[in-house]
Amino acid sequence: MNLQDPGSSVAVRDEEEFFDNLHALVDQDPAPGLAALVMAVSEYADCLRNRPLGSREVLGVLSSCYEAALNEERIPRVTPDAERENENCRRALEMQRDMVMNFAGQ
């Protein structure tokens, strides 16, 4: 099987190696948001090879991406107010909202 981004000419020929390398990143780099970002990429790539990307999967990918942003910002206590006060959290939420709205045709 060939993992391939529909808009790209880059293909990954060995899926097992791709996922092994992806998950190894967490052990190689202590960046605060990396584990959640690896989870998002893994979920998306898994959908490309095994199942359609439905609303549940999209929610999982977007949630993991947002968790990566939260971790990167190192907010000591995550609350709705703390998220609203953080520029990067607001931008991430706005971008995700715009993506969903554009996809939904609104």
Side-chain angles (χ1 to χ4, degrees):
M1 186 179 277
N2 216 7
L3 272 181
Q4 186 167 350
D5 176 8
S8 170
S9 62
V10 177
V12 177
R13 298 190 195 291
D14 185 349
E15 291 177 33
E16 187 174 331
E17 181 181 359
F18 169 78
F19 284 100
D20 287 347
N21 289 339
L22 180 65
H23 292 283
L25 288 174
V26 177
D27 295 330
Q28 297 167 5
D29 189 336
L34 185 60
L37 194 56
V38 164
M39 181 62 81
V41 172
S42 180
E43 172 97 15
Y44 179 72
D46 191 47
C47 286
L48 289 178
R49 70 179 180 160
N50 290 323
R51 62 186 187 275
L53 190 64
S55 58
R56 183 179 185 153
E57 291 78 19
V58 169
L59 177 62
V61 170
L62 292 178
S63 293
S64 292
C65 288
Y66 185 67
E67 183 179 338
L70 282 175
N71 291 339
E72 185 65 32
E73 290 303 304
R74 298 177 187 206
I75 298 173
R77 185 164 180 259
V78 178
T79 65
D81 286 338
E83 292 174 84
R84 284 185 207 103
E85 291 171 6
N86 184 285
E87 182 181 346
N88 284 333
C89 287
R90 283 194 319 270
R91 284 194 330 217
L93 288 172
E94 289 169 10
M95 183 177 65
Q96 287 187 359
R97 184 193 66 226
D98 291 346
M99 287 170 46
V100 169
M101 297 301 275
N102 286 337
F103 182 75
Q106 297 184 9

